[in-house]
Amino acid sequence: MRNAYYLFLFVVLAIAGCKSDTQKSVTKNAATVNSVKHAQGLQLYRYDGYTVVKVTNPWPEAKDVFTYVMLKKGGIVPDSLKQYTTVQVPLKTVVVTSTTHIPSLEALGVENTLVGFPSTDFISSEKVRARIDAGKVKEAGANESLNTEVMIDLAPDAIVGFSISSNNKSLTTLEKSGLKVLYNGDWTEQTPLGKAEWIKFFGALYDQEDKADKLFADIEKGYNEALVLAQKATSRPTVLSGAMFQDHWYLPQGGSWAALFLKDAKSDYLWADSEGIGSLNLAFETVLDKAENADYWIGPSQFTTFKEMTDANPHYAQFKAFKTKNVYSYSSKKGAKGGLIYYELAPNRPDLVLKDLIAIFHPDLLPGYQTYFFEKLK
């Protein structure tokens, strides 16, 4: 998984048997309310001196729940939590494994703690690219096969990893070597605000929970304001998405992250009623029959020009959206090494994605607005 793009239930533990008055005072002031509102796979419980982080959906249909204790300076871990991975925070060094992790580090101002990353060419952030160019961020292999020798040599305070299943031999090997691996499930979230709220995960890692809360609150406010604005639209244009790959047309299912944006932007995505949160793969003829007269075409895979599209498949020109030049792509905005900015930043900034789509579908609602991710094909 290149960019990934792209998922903890806390039970208050008994304090009976605590041996010291200090430890009793820490557990007695436990917060029993999860501070996460939108993310389905993340739970945070804040205590005096430490935060308990639970990742309940690290990969689709996961049965494993991962519990981590973020220990602050001067904090004490109760005996009841000592079975779980404990990390001293704030982190001084870290390896992350998805480009979606990079914007959170940058927003918190801690990108200088990053010392390793798999496939660094995919990173678009200018600040982090400068560190890569200066040799301060090492190439760490690939997510499913991290370079064990490099990782052990780096010895980061934590590795923030992701996995598509319970069988990730690379991360398991690193754990057995004594390194601390923390699973991040941001990519499994299906709602725009659910993905973005994972900045709170990083807030806990850097003892910057208040700052992370504020950053997310601003994103949430911007998204909700855009939602209200979209309701003022007087039309609901029809929308097509995706493109052909080999012999199949891939497009978002109705319950997916991408489809929810189209709904929230008050458009009529033609596959909105399809069940599922992943991708549909359809025959070209099936898509043409349903979407030939769609008003807009959003996210036509890797294409950035109309010529590229017809060179790949001349039948794309049969669609009304192609003929009227209403095709918009996020693939034209790239980092210095070709990584797509959309894949890196969009999950963290759903407010910007939604405003882009509103400006495309309902330009009268955002006059003069310059889209951040999407550009009209040329």
Side-chain angles (χ1 to χ4, degrees):
M1 181 172 179
R2 285 181 54 182
N3 302 292
Y5 296 117
Y6 340 39
L7 293 179
F8 280 151
L9 171 65
F10 182 74
V11 178
V12 179
L13 298 163
I15 63 173
C18 294
K19 297 180 180 179
S20 71
D21 291 339
T22 302
Q23 186 165 311
K24 286 181 181 178
S25 67
V26 170
T27 54
K28 185 169 64 179
N29 293 323
T32 58
V33 178
N34 174 24
S35 63
V36 174
K37 298 190 299 180
H38 299 276
Q40 296 298 301
L42 175 66
Q43 297 177 11
L44 298 174
Y45 296 89
R46 296 169 184 175
Y47 293 73
D48 291 339
Y50 63 93
T51 294
V52 174
V53 178
K54 282 184 173 282
V55 176
T56 61
N57 197 33
W59 47 80
E61 300 180 2
K63 294 180 174 60
D64 300 303
V65 173
F66 294 90
T67 301
Y68 311 113
V69 180
M70 305 302 158
L71 183 63
K72 303 177 184 181
K73 184 177 181 180
I76 298 175
V77 179
D79 290 341
S80 55
L81 294 177
K82 288 183 177 177
Q83 62 183 299
Y84 301 117
T85 299
T86 297
V87 179
Q88 189 75 47
V89 298
L91 299 182
K92 293 183 175 61
T93 57
V94 71
V95 170
V96 302
T97 54
S98 169
T99 56
T100 62
H101 304 159
I102 301 295
S104 291
L105 298 182
E106 194 168 327
L108 292 169
V110 294
E111 68 277 357
N112 287 345
T113 65
L114 183 66
V115 294
F117 187 87
S119 304
T120 55
D121 281 355
F122 294 136
I123 295 177
S124 300
S125 163
E126 292 182 4
K127 289 183 179 180
V128 177
R129 289 235 59 88
R131 286 181 53 77
I132 294 169
D133 294 342
K136 295 178 180 179
V137 179
K138 302 297 183 183
E139 181 67 50
N143 181 61
E144 293 296 316
S145 55
L146 292 171
N147 188 314
T148 303
E149 184 178 341
V150 170
M151 297 295 285
I152 291 174
D153 184 56
L154 288 173
D157 293 341
I159 301 165
V160 178
F162 75 89
S163 182
I164 60 173
S165 71
S166 60
N167 184 26
N168 191 312
K169 295 179 181 179
S170 178
L171 292 177
T172 299
T173 298
L174 291 171
E175 282 185 294
K176 289 180 178 178
S177 73
L179 296 175
K180 295 186 177 182
V181 174
L182 310 176
Y183 282 97
N184 180 296
D186 63 355
W187 67 281
T188 66
E189 299 288 341
Q190 291 305 316
T191 66
L193 290 176
K195 285 185 184 289
E197 197 168 17
W198 277 79
I199 192 173
K200 294 180 180 180
F201 173 93
F202 290 96
L205 291 183
Y206 287 91
D207 193 15
Q208 291 195 36
E209 291 164 314
D210 289 345
K211 184 174 182 178
D213 287 350
K214 175 63 167 58
L215 287 166
F216 177 72
D218 289 343
I219 292 168
E220 182 184 38
K221 180 174 181 288
Y223 195 89
N224 288 334
E225 287 175 349
L227 274 176
V228 172
L229 181 64
Q231 296 311 306
K232 297 180 181 179
T234 56
S235 64
R236 200 176 189 95
T238 51
V239 178
L240 160 70
S241 188
M244 294 292 291
F245 178 71
Q246 295 180 347
D247 295 328
H248 297 276
W249 189 304
Y250 290 88
L251 48 80
Q253 290 181 319
S256 66
W257 178 71
L260 288 176
F261 276 119
L262 298 174
K263 175 185 176 182
D264 286 350
K266 204 173 180 182
S267 71
D268 181 13
Y269 174 50
L270 293 175
W271 279 267
D273 59 351
S274 62
E275 296 183 1
I277 57 176
S279 296
L280 287 169
N281 62 88
L282 304 172
F284 177 89
E285 294 76 12
T286 301
V287 177
L288 180 64
D289 182 62
K290 189 168 186 174
E292 182 177 1
N293 292 312
D295 298 313
Y296 290 90
W297 188 342
I298 301 295
S301 189
Q302 78 277 12
F303 300 116
T304 60
T305 69
F306 290 104
K307 185 177 185 303
E308 286 177 3
M309 294 185 72
T310 50
D311 284 349
N313 188 333
H315 297 296
Y316 286 142
Q318 293 179 244
F319 289 87
K320 172 187 170 183
F322 186 101
K323 295 174 183 176
T324 58
K325 309 301 183 186
N326 278 327
V327 184
Y328 290 80
S329 176
Y330 49 71
S331 295
S332 59
K333 296 190 176 183
K334 300 177 181 179
K337 293 290 185 176
L340 294 185
I341 293 172
Y342 182 82
Y343 286 153
E344 182 171 309
L345 185 58
N348 295 265
R349 293 302 306 271
D351 54 325
L352 298 179
V353 178
L354 183 55
K355 288 177 182 177
D356 274 11
L357 294 173
I358 292 171
I360 291 169
F361 300 143
H362 312 290
D364 56 307
L365 296 180
L366 287 169
Y369 179 83
Q370 296 295 313
T371 53
Y372 194 92
F373 295 110
F374 291 91
E375 285 189 347
K376 200 170 191 176
L377 262 62
K378 299 175 182 178

